[in-house]
Amino acid sequence: MSKMDEINKRKFLLIFLIVCAIFLCIGIYNEKRLKETGRYTIGRLDKITYMKGGEVYHYTFFYNNKYISSDMRSDEEGVVGHKYFVVFNPNNINENLMLFDKPVLSKVHSIPINGWNEIPISTKK
């Protein structure tokens, strides 16, 4: 391999790593922003599918008198059939996350149509 090929290979690797870091930072920022400014409701984990890249969690939550189906990948683990809080962007309902670290442990008698500004009950076990 020539010296020029080696330099080009290193440049490509450096650019690739920079792009990966940018996407990672954007994802972390978007999740943080959603948790700070989003609204909360309750969702139910419907199923887990397994793909080459990992697990995909499929869930349903209630917002604006409708059931919304969504899915996401997560490093955390959920249990099918269990309920968890979901944070969502009311201006773009497709921006949502099921919060596996925030299980619904007690009865919630009613969910506001537009969700809550914050999680209304304790989620500590």
Side-chain angles (χ1 to χ4, degrees):
M1 185 182 299
S2 73
K3 190 167 185 138
M4 196 62 171
D5 288 339
E6 186 67 32
I7 291 172
N8 287 337
K9 189 176 183 181
R10 287 184 184 190
K11 283 182 185 178
F12 174 78
L13 182 60
L14 179 63
I15 290 169
F16 177 76
L17 291 174
I18 289 171
V19 169
C20 288
I22 289 170
F23 277 109
L24 181 63
C25 290
I26 289 170
I28 291 169
Y29 170 77
N30 285 340
E31 183 175 334
K32 184 177 182 212
R33 180 184 49 81
L34 185 61
K35 287 180 179 178
E36 290 173 353
T37 63
R39 306 223 11 123
Y40 293 86
T41 188
I42 294 174
R44 181 177 170 271
L45 182 57
D46 299 320
K47 69 179 180 176
I48 303 170
T49 55
Y50 302 92
M51 303 181 80
K52 199 173 197 175
E55 299 174 338
V56 179
Y57 296 90
H58 303 269
Y59 55 96
T60 307
F61 62 95
F62 189 74
Y63 170 67
N64 202 16
N65 284 329
K66 292 185 273 188
Y67 284 98
I68 311 293
S69 293
S70 193
D71 59 68
M72 63 181 260
R73 294 177 187 263
S74 178
D75 293 334
E76 299 180 41
E77 292 185 15
V79 178
V80 172
H82 285 211
K83 292 181 180 179
Y84 302 90
F85 282 96
V86 174
V87 61
F88 63 93
N89 177 347
N91 299 317
N92 181 1
I93 200 65
N94 294 321
E95 284 183 45
N96 63 74
L97 293 171
M98 179 166 267
L99 305 174
F100 294 118
D101 61 335
K102 304 287 185 206
V104 179
L105 300 173
S106 62
K107 294 267 185 199
V108 176
H109 298 289
S110 65
I111 301 171
I113 291 172
N114 296 318
W116 295 281
N117 288 327
E118 59 187 27
I119 294 176
I121 59 174
S122 174
T123 59
K124 294 195 169 64
K125 295 180 181 179

